[in-house]
Amino acid sequence: QVQLVESGGGLVQAGGSLKLSCAVSGRTFSSYGMGWFRQAPGKEREFVAAISWSGRTTYYADFKKGRFTISRDNAKNTVDLQMNNLKPEDTGAYYCAADQFSTVVRGTAGSWGQGTQVTVSS
C-alpha cells in the first residue's frame, strides 16, 4: 500500500489552467502505475489519465486529450496533472490512484487519495 495526497485544486475561470500534484509515500513509488480520476457532483467517478511506472506510456480519456497532460517524477515521488483550457464541466473532485497500470485504467486501483476540489467558473 501507498499513501497518496493530492494538492493544487482551486477555483479558476473557464479557459484557465491548474496543475494538480499527487505526493506518494510508502512502498516503492517507481513500480506503480498512476492515474487521475474525477467525480463531478451527482455523477460517478470517471477516468481522466494514467501513466505507467516508467512514464513512457500514458493513456487519456478521449475528452481530455489535448487539454490535460499527466507526468511523473520518480525521484520526487510525485505525479502531476496539468490541465489547460478548463471548462465548467471539468468541475469536480480529482483523485489520484496507484496500482498496476492496467488496473488503474480500469478504475479498480488499490490505493486512492482523498481528492482535491477543482471548480471552474463560467
Side-chain angles (χ1 to χ4, degrees), residues 33-111:
M34 301 293 300
W36 286 95
F37 290 75
R38 180 185 83 185
Q39 188 166 20
K43 295 186 178 181
E44 293 186 354
R45 186 173 62 198
E46 62 180 350
F47 170 77
V48 176
I51 188 167
S52 64
W53 67 270
S54 65
R56 288 195 289 267
T57 301
T58 57
Y59 182 70
Y60 296 90
D62 285 343
F63 53 92
K64 304 302 181 188
K65 284 183 179 178
R67 298 193 297 124
F68 292 8
T69 303
I70 189 170
S71 61
R72 68 188 294 162
D73 186 334
N74 286 347
K76 296 182 179 179
N77 285 12
T78 58
V79 58
D80 295 335
L81 184 68
Q82 177 68 46
M83 306 186 294
N84 299 325
N85 190 22
L86 284 162
K87 305 176 181 180
E89 53 264 41
D90 293 319
T91 293
Y94 282 71
Y95 298 89
C96 179
D99 211 310
Q100 293 184 16
F101 180 73
S102 59
T103 304
V104 170
V105 172
R106 288 197 301 266
T108 55
S111 298

Side-chain angles (χ1 to χ4, degrees), residues 3-16:
Q3 291 76 49
L4 313 175
V5 179
E6 303 94 337
S7 62
L11 174 64
V12 63
Q13 290 187 333

